[in-house]
Amino acid sequence: GYRPVVEIQFDGFVFPAYDQIVTQLAKMHARSLGKVKLPVVIRIPYGGGIGAVEHHSESPEALFAHVPGLKIVSPSNSSDAYWMMRQAIQSDDPVIFFEPKRRYHDKSPLDTSAVPDPLHSARVVRQGTDLTVAAYGPMVKVCLDVAAVAEQEGRSLEILDLRSVSPLDFDAVQTSVERTRRLVVVHEAPVFFGSGGEIAARITERCFYHLEAPV
């Protein structure tokens, strides 16, 4: 009856387990025609911010997002970390929980009686009118700081915390972009074949007649 929570310490050390995660854990539900559920959470501290290199500051979320059967989430603040971890454990699907290292020491109030947003839904954390900035995990706070500076310069930035990489809440991104008509995607991970390129392509398709400029 227990639901396993496994920790990989750090991001760069996950690859010896990559085969088990993507060829066994991710596929067992489909392989058993739905009879076997895999309520497993894999915690992976990831990203930069701690002054370490090789095997300690990587962002491999796109590698796992390519795999059917895995869910990929990343909180940007301590309150979301609490609620999203509980929701990930409650899920009957395997969830990879990417924990941004540069946010480990952040603190915020926590209302344990609150009703959390759905695990895979994006959230507007700052409303704006001139531009949507979509980010997740460690970069959300960076984008909020940028928005504060932009406001002093007379620009209004809307910050969208994606929270989930797979599945990704494209409807929320589209709704915001249809309002602001511009989109910037921000993440730490590699640009080439990264999540930002997928978001840019999808939103260009969905919002072609709303965009005032390329993503």
Side-chain angles (χ1 to χ4, degrees), residues 3-214:
R3 290 174 171 248
V5 180
V6 182
E7 182 185 21
I8 305 292
Q9 184 73 269
F10 289 88
D11 37 31
F13 302 158
V14 71
F15 299 108
Y18 189 77
D19 177 40
Q20 287 80 12
I21 293 171
V22 304
T23 65
Q24 298 179 42
L25 185 65
K27 295 178 173 60
M28 186 61 72
H29 182 73
R31 188 178 295 152
S32 66
L33 300 179
K35 294 178 182 178
V36 177
K37 293 182 171 57
L38 277 296
V40 178
V41 177
I42 301 176
R43 297 175 52 197
I44 303 180
Y46 82 117
I50 62 169
V53 293
E54 191 187 10
H55 303 316
H56 291 80
S57 298
E58 297 169 304
S59 296
E61 58 269 26
L63 293 176
F64 293 97
H66 292 165
V67 180
L70 293 180
K71 294 184 174 179
I72 316 297
V73 300
S74 181
S76 66
N77 58 78
S78 55
S79 179
D80 264 0
Y82 172 84
W83 285 114
M84 291 170 69
M85 176 59 73
R86 293 177 67 92
Q87 292 169 310
I89 293 171
Q90 291 167 0
S91 173
D92 285 333
D93 298 312
V95 178
I96 297 186
F97 197 92
F98 279 102
E99 303 176 0
K101 291 200 270 304
R102 69 171 72 239
R103 300 293 162 235
Y104 266 147
H105 299 291
D106 290 1
K107 295 179 174 63
S108 64
L110 176 64
D111 180 5
T112 57
S113 64
V115 177
D117 293 333
L119 179 60
H120 301 290
S121 65
R123 180 194 304 129
V124 174
V125 292
R126 180 183 176 120
Q127 293 186 332
T129 57
D130 297 337
L131 167 71
T132 296
V133 182
Y136 56 87
M139 290 293 100
V140 173
K141 185 177 184 300
V142 174
C143 294
L144 287 169
D145 293 341
V146 169
V149 174
E151 184 177 34
Q152 299 173 3
E153 299 175 352
R155 297 180 177 87
S156 175
L157 273 57
E158 178 151 301
I159 309 301
L160 184 67
D161 185 350
L162 296 172
R163 302 174 71 244
S164 178
V165 176
S166 181
L168 202 147
D169 190 356
F170 286 107
D171 289 343
V173 183
Q174 178 176 346
T175 298
S176 178
V177 171
E178 287 179 352
R179 184 169 57 253
T180 67
R181 297 182 175 272
R182 290 176 172 83
L183 175 64
V184 169
V185 186
V186 179
H187 59 65
E188 279 190 321
V191 173
F192 187 67
F193 277 84
S195 54
E198 178 67 23
I199 297 168
R202 293 285 188 101
I203 294 304
T204 299
E205 284 185 342
R206 286 187 173 212
C207 302
F208 185 79
Y209 294 106
H210 291 88
L211 286 166
E212 296 287 352

